[in-house]
Amino acid sequence: MLSQRSLEAFREVMRTGSVSGAAEELLISQPAVSRLIRELEERLDLRLFTRHGGRIVATPAAHEFWLEVERSFTGLKHIERAAEQIKRGQRTTLSIAAAPAFAQAALPQAVAELHRLRPDFKAEFFSMTTLPVVRQVALRQCQVGFGIPTQHKSEIDVVRTGALPYRFIAPAGHFLREKAAIEIDDLSGLDFVGFVDSTMTGRNFDRRFARMRRPPVVKMRSYLSIVIAALVRRGLGVGLVDPFTAEEHERSGGIVRPLIAEERFEYSVIKPLGEKLSPECEALVEIFEGLAEAHRH
């Protein structure tokens, strides 16, 4: 029988791209993670990772095993749909994988702009967490991916990287609307809607709040920025989100202010290793970068 702990270790190594990252997430030592991975390899009789210059690289077998775990993202229905589209001559010209923060606001806007410029443009759009984004692109099931920075650079090519300031969001009428910009100390004691600690944003701000004498009171947590914004608009607290989500929040009647903080919302755009971006992909990336540039400051 497979050990639950060894599966957890495998999951975190695949998710973080390193043994050290997995050890940090699981709160165990790096040797313990390595031992759990060896046990899993022996039980499965599969080589899951190889070492290159002090770094571990997932083998094709590891990718296949991970896909079984993430079956809901790829599944047979997707393959069947692709085959049907090919048969009808309707295969999409561009398949996009995107983490939720990009799929909810920025990319629909970028895709709409690209469609306006190229009316014949077609796309297939998948929203998923960051590691499945890497998997989809590494396995060439998507031509371009948008997510947070990844350590899996031996499996994909990084096209662009960037960092944007976070934004403070609040419900309509909140007293902090009088301030032109918000500092972390302004959040002291306030009800707060945050990200779960499995996200980079959640971990970053949890560490920041831990250094405060009087941190905000985390009332609710979510993985999705769009859910956080929805809870904030309903008066359950204030929040800190990426600028794309903040823009949508403001359109929906919420309050948005610049956040004065060192933390940044980091992102990367990736493509399959060694492949050239199609003209449609290049155009989409350029439009996205234009949208990101508007939020740099």
Side-chain angles (χ1 to χ4, degrees):
M1 181 179 294
L2 295 178
S3 160
Q4 180 67 29
R5 196 62 170 162
S6 64
L7 289 173
E8 290 174 354
F10 169 75
R11 178 179 182 273
E12 290 302 331
V13 170
M14 292 292 286
R15 190 176 70 83
T16 64
S18 69
V19 170
S20 60
E24 182 179 344
E25 290 298 322
L26 294 172
L27 301 177
I28 59 177
S29 68
Q30 294 184 38
V33 173
S34 298
R35 177 177 55 77
L36 288 168
I37 293 299
R38 284 196 302 272
E39 290 176 357
L40 182 61
E41 289 179 322
E42 291 171 2
R43 177 66 65 177
L44 295 172
D45 195 23
L46 286 174
R47 185 71 176 274
L48 298 174
F49 300 98
T50 58
R51 289 194 172 273
H52 293 278
R55 298 189 61 82
I56 64 167
V57 177
T59 65
H63 288 301
E64 291 183 20
F65 188 57
W66 175 255
L67 285 175
E68 289 299 318
V69 178
E70 299 293 329
R71 173 73 56 184
S72 60
F73 290 109
T74 52
L76 291 175
K77 288 186 178 179
H78 166 64
I79 298 171
E80 292 169 355
R81 186 167 63 251
E84 186 65 23
Q85 290 171 339
I86 292 170
K87 184 173 69 175
R88 295 179 181 177
Q90 297 176 338
R91 182 62 173 146
T92 55
T93 59
L94 178 57
S95 54
I96 308 161
F102 306 94
Q104 294 158 4
L107 281 177
Q109 187 176 347
V111 167
E113 176 63 16
L114 182 56
H115 188 266
R116 185 185 68 79
L117 296 172
R118 305 184 183 199
D120 293 333
F121 163 74
K122 297 177 182 178
E124 198 164 40
F125 201 164
F126 301 94
S127 176
M128 60 197 71
T129 56
T130 293
L131 184 55
V133 168
V134 175
R135 295 287 156 268
Q136 291 276 25
V137 174
L139 293 173
R140 290 168 166 73
Q141 293 179 345
C142 285
Q143 297 161 263
V144 64
F146 296 79
I148 63 173
T150 174
Q151 300 299 317
H152 300 74
K153 295 180 182 177
S154 60
E155 304 166 47
I156 47 86
D157 289 329
V158 177
V159 179
R160 299 286 180 87
T161 61
L164 302 173
Y166 283 97
R167 300 285 191 248
F168 166 84
I169 61 172
H174 195 274
F175 72 92
L176 284 177
R177 70 185 184 280
E178 303 298 335
K179 298 201 67 170
I182 302 299
E183 299 183 52
I184 291 293
D185 285 344
D186 292 326
L187 306 180
S188 293
L190 296 185
D191 287 349
F192 187 80
V193 183
F195 285 87
V196 295
D197 57 12
S198 63
T199 65
M200 183 180 295
T201 298
R203 290 192 296 272
N204 286 345
F205 283 112
D206 280 352
R207 285 193 289 265
R208 185 67 180 270
F209 295 160
R211 301 197 299 266
M212 297 173 65
R213 291 185 60 185
R214 187 173 175 237
V217 180
V218 181
K219 291 286 191 178
M220 304 280 174
R221 288 184 184 269
S222 176
Y223 182 87
L224 299 174
S225 58
I226 193 170
V227 173
I228 289 173
L231 293 171
V232 167
R233 284 195 300 274
R234 285 159 177 78
L236 296 174
V238 299
L240 302 173
V241 297
D242 63 273
F244 304 119
T245 301
E247 192 173 41
E248 292 295 312
H249 177 76
E250 191 168 39
R251 288 196 189 104
S252 300
I255 291 170
V256 173
R257 293 292 183 270
L259 177 70
I260 302 173
E262 62 186 21
E263 287 80 9
R264 289 291 182 271
F265 174 74
E266 298 181 353
Y267 67 86
S268 66
V269 182
I270 62 176
K271 68 179 180 65
L273 188 66
E275 285 196 6
K276 179 178 171 56
L277 283 179
S278 69
E280 290 82 9
C281 280
E282 289 183 346
L284 179 67
V285 171
E286 289 305 316
I287 292 170
F288 171 80
E289 279 296 306
L291 296 175
E293 186 61 34
H295 294 295
R296 292 275 179 224
H297 305 291

